Amino acid sequence: PGRSAAEPADHAAATVPVELVEAPDRRGEVDAAARRIRDLLRQGLRLRDIAVLVREIDDYQELINAGFREHAIPFFVDRRRSASHHPLIQFTRAVFQIARSGWPHDAMTMLVKSGLAGLSFDQAERLENYVLTHRLRGVLAWTVAEPWNYRRDLTRAREDDDRVDSRGGEAPAEPNSRANRGSAGASRSQIPSRVQDDESVAMDALRRGVVEKLDPFVAHLRSSEKQPIGATVKKLFDLYAAFGARERLSKWIDDAIAANDVEQRGEHEQVWAELVALFDQLVDLLGETSVTPVDFVEILESGLEQFDLALTPPRIDQVLVGQVDRTRTTSVHTAFVLGLAEGQFPRIGREDSVLSDGERRSLRQHHLEIDPDSERRLLDESLLGYIAFTRASRKLIVTRAASKENKPINASSYWVRVRRLFPQLEPTKEEREADAPPSAIGTPRQLITALVRWARSRDAGADQQQPWAALYQWLTEYKCCSDAIDVMRFKAWRAIGYVNEAKLSPEVAAELMTGPLKTSVTRFESFATCPFRHFARYHLGLAKREDDDVTAMDLGNVYHQILDGVVRQTIERRHDWCELEPALTKQMIGEFAGEVGRTLRGELMLSTARNKYLLNRIERTLERVCATQRAVLSRGRFRPLFTELGFGIDGAKLPPLAMKTPKGRDVLLYGKIDRVDRARDGAEVAVIDYKMPDKRLALSDVFHGLSLQLLTYLLVLEANGQTLVGRKLTPAAAFYAKLLRSVEVVDHPDDAPAQDDPTFNLRVKPRGIFDGRFVHDIDADFESGASDVVQAYVTKDGAFGRLETTDVADSAAFAGLLRYVRKRIGELADQMIAGAIGVRPYRLGRTTPCPNCEFRSVCRFDPAINHYLNLAPMKRSEVLERVQGDGA
């Protein structure tokens, strides 16, 4: 409307029923629209009197879903929706994949988790975890007649499953566990047998319930003969009936009605109706036509690809959100037109055809209608603009974003024309949420974030222009019965004081740590790595989902199992390992590999070819490992005494290792030693721990409690010499033995060592630490220079050299290190018993456990809020000096 020359400009602007809003980005546009809708509702307007129009709904749909829900605005988005996500469509596609592809894992997972397979969500999750744990794949796994009785006794045998828990209670020994196969006298025939446990019984019942219903349909499609389309559709609907799909959909519809979720109800109804209509058309047109299952699936997929949903706008009171070229609405009181940015509305025409505009016009003259030319598209955009700007009968609110992905964008031509038509209108400029004034706060979340920013800002006390202090005071004192305010208040306090700390109350800590602390050394290492990681794994029982394929941990346990069998048989028969012929060793490895292979086949469901390949590779590798161990032992006095020597667990040869903490608490350690070697006719003992990759004992890790296991084993032997051999044992060495072998890189082929070289099998040295007094018990031929057997070096004057890179320690330092390990375990035990579960991962130099931690999504460690436990890097000589000086 026009105005007289005497009429004030501000009055004229106030009477113009158009408002221009300029927001920093699209999210700001949506939030500005939501706040104005709330204002209109407070003025008495109804939701159905408001419409929000955009040129491309995909640009704004997610933002509108989030923003309007946050502002508690009921709305309906008028758009076509893909139906591919619907459980009924997923179920239908899955059953055809199962029939055609031999019960593939992804299709079975989709089926059982669709909600239409007769399983609850928890049952589907448990079944999926069971299948992943045991790597069950294919038709043989799902349709086997025998009951599921899979157990990971072999491939999980060396994982720290902690048969004695932290509260002091002992779990009953598993009859097939390696705990009962640890003594030297155990028979090699004790390969794990599979006994069906409660979990297997439950999962087998769920599996059979699904398979029995699927079998008739799968058998129909697996037939090599062509089948009439009508018969296949009938079988499919019989399958729907067997699983109760229609009843389940009806239940979902009733739930949606009860929750007043009109869109969800309409989606379920339309999916069922459209799918039935699709199959009706198939039967009417091609019902008697016989096709192969492959052809039927192609026909079905061609129909499903075009299958989408077009829900009718509900008649209840909601804000209508739609796309200008799709949504047909009568005149509303107030219309919002979003997205008046350059190239967005009007939309820039894109050349998506090889035909030029002239060619299109020529074809149209010959009555061949194709897609419109650029001129027609521009006219269409003008028409759409006219429709958008004329939907409002009382008020029009037009918005645009000033930037996209932090890059400025210009206003559209429609925005410019509106400014030209109403020069007296000045756009309302919205600020970014971080800089918005209090008047822009419209939701509890926005209030919370604003208060947090104010409370955390450095100049909060000097900010007297903003009413944040008053808002803060109001929030603390305001009394009301609104649940939203109470939730907002609770979240505000927690957000303002957020420090991401994890604490246990003294009562809970005492409940978790009753009686003497019974635990493994692995737990102490985990606790030293990060207390929260230890808590999440051992107290909360969290664990990452199993990998789909055979892992290094699985194969590592197989390596251990076979090697332990060879060593055990050698000890039982009182053979000297150094005198065993390579052919006999190879025969023993083959026998144990065969037994383990049968168990491995049952546990991991490996194909015959892959199983054979893996076992052959393991056999070849272990032949080289045994050759290396034979070469090492033949140079010294040490010989294997025990393998798989358990302590503190049921059936173990030794009791737990008892310790006192600095605060006088009792600690009982349990575990298992891979191998114990003893010097012939002597009391010196060494422990051997098998590791798949190359591993060294970093003394700085020992000092900080990150690597305690190897030296703790020496403390166990030192404390139980009388029980084992009837005399006191002297700890002499502790080594890691590498099992994996890799191709060695040399500069020239002539540099590669020959197999007849005496040192050929000594190229891979055990790494760890040993008492220098016993160097000749380990390598009798060692005089000077570098040892061929261990990492040691003797200078010309007979002293040990290169101490920073070798594994030797003098007697005082070696004894001091063992004392320090005992002391460090006690210190960690006191912290553990006190209930420390802080999010405090260590950082040693640039090394932290966080990148490889499976609990990162749980602890939410943030270096800006949390703090690492910074550990000082230490040289090897520094550690040895410190442990002697501590007097531990």
Side-chain angles (χ1 to χ4, degrees):
R3 62 182 177 88
S4 63
E7 189 175 1
D10 56 349
H11 174 72
T15 58
V16 173
V18 178
E19 182 181 358
L20 302 178
V21 180
E22 186 175 300
D25 50 28
R26 288 177 180 173
R27 185 181 298 275
E29 280 187 89
V30 173
D31 187 71
R35 284 188 279 108
R36 283 160 175 78
I37 291 174
R38 294 287 297 273
D39 291 340
L40 292 171
L41 297 178
R42 282 191 286 267
Q43 295 172 17
L45 223 61
R46 300 190 64 176
L47 292 167
R48 67 177 61 180
D49 297 328
I50 303 170
V52 178
L53 301 175
V54 297
R55 182 63 184 90
E56 290 288 345
I57 192 64
D58 291 339
D59 294 340
Y60 285 90
Q61 179 189 341
E62 296 299 329
L63 295 174
I64 288 175
N65 287 344
F68 281 23
R69 285 195 177 100
E70 182 179 341
H71 284 268
I73 299 174
F75 66 98
F76 174 83
V77 180
D78 181 25
R79 61 180 177 87
R80 296 197 71 85
R81 309 147 195 257
S82 172
S84 60
H85 69 283
H86 193 274
L88 183 60
I89 304 300
Q90 292 182 338
F91 179 92
T92 304
R93 283 188 162 128
V95 296
F96 281 100
Q97 292 178 24
I98 291 167
R100 286 184 56 197
S101 304
W103 302 71
H105 173 72
D106 291 342
M108 287 303 302
T109 302
M110 184 186 301
L111 177 75
V112 300
K113 299 181 75 172
S114 66
L116 298 173
L119 306 181
S120 66
F121 177 79
D122 289 339
Q123 289 175 329
E125 286 287 311
R126 288 174 59 197
L127 182 58
E128 183 185 13
N129 287 335
Y130 185 88
V131 168
L132 289 174
T133 298
H134 300 286
R135 281 63 177 261
L136 302 177
R137 299 291 186 273
V139 61
L140 293 179
W142 284 95
T143 62
V144 63
E146 294 79 12
W148 274 1
N149 55 0
Y150 302 105
R151 293 178 58 178
R152 296 285 296 278
D153 292 314
L154 172 61
T155 49
R156 279 187 167 181
R158 300 197 59 81
E159 295 181 18
D160 185 20
D161 53 0
D162 291 306
R163 295 178 180 87
V164 183
D165 62 33
S166 62
R167 291 173 295 180
E170 293 193 11
E174 300 177 10
N176 301 307
S177 70
R178 287 163 64 94
N180 289 334
R181 302 194 305 274
S183 63
S187 171
R188 70 179 178 87
S189 64
Q190 289 179 300
I191 298 297
S193 61
R194 298 207 311 255
V195 179
Q196 196 173 31
D197 55 14
D198 293 341
E199 183 69 7
S200 294
V201 171
M203 295 303 101
D204 187 62
L206 296 180
R207 184 261 304 193
R208 291 182 182 277
V210 173
V211 171
E212 288 172 0
K213 297 172 185 176
L214 275 175
D215 266 342
F217 181 77
V218 173
H220 173 80
L221 284 189
R222 294 294 291 176
S223 174
S224 58
E225 300 179 359
K226 293 183 178 180
Q227 300 286 344
I229 287 180
T232 302
V233 172
K234 182 179 183 303
K235 286 288 185 180
L236 180 60
F237 274 82
D238 289 343
L239 184 67
Y240 289 155
F243 279 105
R246 188 170 184 175
E247 292 77 5
R248 188 62 179 171
L249 282 173
S250 298
K251 175 66 167 53
W252 290 345
I253 292 171
D254 293 340
D255 292 343
I257 294 175
N260 199 27
D261 192 340
V262 181
E263 290 188 40
Q264 193 68 40
R265 182 200 68 186
E267 184 174 310
H268 293 318
E269 291 175 345
Q270 188 168 347
V271 165
W272 176 257
E274 293 292 334
L275 192 63
V276 170
L278 175 63
F279 286 119
D280 283 343
Q281 292 178 16
L282 276 178
V283 173
D284 291 341
L285 298 175
L286 303 171
E288 300 301 325
T289 304
S290 295
V291 297
T292 64
V294 174
D295 293 335
F296 183 90
V297 172
E298 290 180 357
I299 296 171
L300 177 62
E301 284 295 334
S302 65
L304 293 179
E305 286 177 0
Q306 308 299 323
F307 192 55
D308 56 7
L309 306 175
L311 302 182
T312 304
R315 296 181 179 180
I316 62 175
D317 201 18
Q318 287 182 317
V319 172
L320 178 62
V321 180
Q323 189 167 291
V324 178
D325 59 349
R326 168 180 169 80
T327 302
R328 297 292 180 262
T329 179
T330 58
S331 178
V332 294
H333 182 281
T334 302
F336 291 81
V337 181
L338 275 58
L340 264 67
E342 187 177 42
Q344 190 174 348
F345 193 17
R347 184 172 60 184
I348 297 177
R350 297 177 177 86
E351 193 66 36
D352 52 4
S353 173
V354 296
L355 299 176
S356 64
D357 289 347
E359 291 170 334
R360 288 191 181 92
R361 287 192 294 270
S362 178
L363 290 172
R364 194 176 298 114
Q365 291 175 358
H366 290 80
H367 306 288
L368 295 175
E369 294 293 337
I370 58 175
D371 56 313
D373 55 24
S374 57
E375 182 179 357
R376 175 57 185 270
R377 285 197 292 265
L378 288 175
L379 291 174
D380 289 345
E381 288 297 313
S382 298
L383 175 61
L384 294 176
Y386 172 81
I387 292 174
F389 282 86
T390 57
R391 292 306 88 191
S393 63
R394 292 290 187 270
K395 187 171 185 178
L396 175 67
I397 301 177
V398 183
T399 71
R400 83 174 187 93
S403 66
K404 179 182 179 181
E405 297 177 354
N406 296 324
K407 295 180 181 179
I409 52 177
N410 295 325
S412 76
S413 57
Y414 291 167
W415 178 278
V416 175
R417 290 176 64 182
V418 172
R419 292 293 309 275
R420 191 179 300 121
L421 288 172
F422 302 101
Q424 71 276 28
L425 286 181
E426 286 297 328
T428 302
K429 294 186 180 294
E430 299 286 337
E431 299 290 340
R432 293 188 181 275
E433 185 174 309
D435 304 321
S439 59
I441 295 175
T443 67
R445 181 195 62 80
Q446 291 174 347
L447 176 61
I448 290 171
T449 54
L451 280 171
V452 169
R453 280 192 295 270
W454 172 79
R456 289 185 177 274
S457 62
R458 296 180 179 178
D459 57 345
D463 190 2
Q464 300 298 329
Q465 302 300 320
Q466 300 290 348
W468 299 119
L471 282 173
Y472 191 90
Q473 188 68 21
W474 170 83
L475 193 64
T476 60
E477 297 179 353
Y478 183 66
K479 305 292 185 183
C480 82
C481 57
S482 170
D483 292 338
I485 294 295
D486 292 338
V487 171
M488 176 180 64
R489 195 191 331 260
F490 173 73
K491 289 183 176 180
W493 298 158
R494 296 191 65 185
I496 292 172
Y498 177 72
V499 291
N500 193 25
E501 288 185 351
K503 293 182 178 179
L504 289 178
S505 65
E507 296 77 16
V508 174
E511 187 71 20
L512 286 175
M513 303 294 178
T514 58
L517 179 63
K518 295 184 179 181
T519 186
S520 65
V521 187
T522 305
R523 285 197 176 191
F524 285 114
E525 294 177 344
S526 175
F527 183 83
T529 299
C530 176
F532 186 83
R533 181 180 182 180
H534 169 269
F535 174 73
R537 179 177 180 183
Y538 296 108
H539 290 291
L540 297 182
L542 304 182
K544 64 179 182 180
R545 178 165 279 179
E546 293 284 343
D547 295 321
D548 289 341
D549 204 355
V550 180
T551 65
M553 175 68 75
D554 300 328
L555 295 182
N557 293 328
V558 175
Y559 276 91
H560 278 76
Q561 178 80 9
I562 298 174
L563 188 57
D564 290 339
V566 172
V567 178
R568 187 186 310 115
Q569 190 174 94
T570 303
I571 295 172
E572 288 176 353
R573 297 180 179 180
R574 300 183 182 278
H575 290 315
D576 187 339
W577 199 353
C578 301
E579 298 176 358
L580 287 179
E581 294 294 332
L584 180 57
T585 304
K586 182 177 181 180
Q587 178 184 348
M588 295 167 62
I589 292 174
E591 291 176 0
F592 281 103
E595 296 184 10
V596 169
R598 288 188 289 273
T599 303
L600 185 67
R601 167 72 177 168
E603 291 193 8
L604 297 183
M605 290 299 294
L606 300 176
S607 66
T608 303
R610 179 161 173 75
N611 189 24
K612 183 177 179 180
Y613 166 76
L614 288 175
L615 287 176
N616 286 339
R617 181 179 176 184
I618 291 171
E619 288 181 40
R620 294 195 303 270
T621 302
L622 287 179
E623 288 175 17
R624 297 173 62 184
V625 171
C626 289
T628 297
Q629 292 295 310
R630 184 168 53 249
V632 170
L633 293 173
S634 64
R635 295 284 291 265
R637 296 174 53 233
F638 284 93
R639 296 294 183 270
L641 179 64
F642 296 105
T643 183
E644 289 288 282
L645 179 63
F647 57 96
I649 54 181
D650 285 352
K653 198 173 187 68
L654 299 177
L657 178 62
M659 292 185 176
K660 281 285 187 181
T661 72
K663 294 186 178 181
R665 291 157 172 157
D666 293 320
V667 177
L668 300 177
L669 293 181
Y670 64 91
K672 195 177 299 179
I673 307 173
D674 283 345
R675 198 176 92 205
V676 178
D677 291 358
R678 178 188 177 190
R680 288 183 295 185
D681 303 324
E684 300 82 14
V685 289
V687 297
I688 309 297
D689 194 44
Y690 301 133
K691 295 295 181 184
M692 294 294 287
D694 192 16
K695 182 175 176 60
R696 302 180 182 183
L697 183 66
L699 294 191
S700 60
D701 289 348
V702 175
F703 186 85
H704 296 301
L706 304 175
S707 183
L708 301 170
Q709 189 178 46
L710 196 60
L711 294 173
T712 302
Y713 291 160
L714 288 178
L715 294 176
V716 173
L717 297 177
E718 185 180 40
N720 294 281
Q722 293 292 336
T723 303
L724 287 175
V725 296
R727 60 184 296 186
K728 183 175 178 61
L729 294 176
T730 303
F735 292 117
Y736 293 119
K738 178 183 176 182
L739 298 185
L740 283 183
R741 296 294 188 266
S742 57
V743 177
E744 297 182 21
V745 179
V746 295
D747 295 333
H748 191 274
D750 293 340
D751 297 335
Q755 293 192 13
D756 57 357
D757 189 327
T759 62
F760 178 79
N761 290 320
L762 295 173
R763 292 170 300 163
V764 180
K765 298 179 180 180
R767 298 304 305 268
I769 190 170
F770 65 93
D771 190 333
R773 291 181 300 168
F774 309 114
V775 64
H776 291 101
D777 294 316
I778 300 172
D779 185 2
D781 299 338
F782 182 38
E783 295 296 337
S784 64
S787 169
D788 294 329
V789 177
V790 291
Q791 199 73 11
Y793 186 87
V794 172
T795 61
K796 293 181 179 180
D797 57 2
F800 288 110
R802 302 179 184 176
L803 297 180
E804 296 297 340
T805 58
T806 58
D807 296 334
V808 67
D810 62 51
S811 300
F814 191 80
L817 191 62
L818 292 179
R819 292 194 303 271
Y820 179 80
V821 168
R822 182 183 290 272
K823 173 186 174 184
R824 187 68 182 127
I825 289 175
E827 294 171 346
L828 293 173
D830 277 332
Q831 299 176 35
M832 193 183 295
I833 294 172
I837 61 168
V839 184
R840 291 292 304 278
Y842 79 87
R843 181 166 62 184
L844 185 59
R846 294 186 176 182
T847 303
T848 74
C850 294
N852 300 319
C853 181
E854 60 268 37
F855 306 118
R856 293 181 64 187
S857 60
V858 180
C859 77
R860 296 174 296 182
F861 178 85
D862 185 354
I865 299 173
N866 303 108
H867 301 285
Y868 288 105
L869 178 61
N870 290 298
L871 305 178
M874 302 175 68
K875 294 182 179 180
R876 190 173 184 276
S877 58
E878 183 181 354
V879 173
L880 294 176
E881 183 179 351
R882 287 279 299 274
V883 296
Q884 292 182 75
D886 279 350

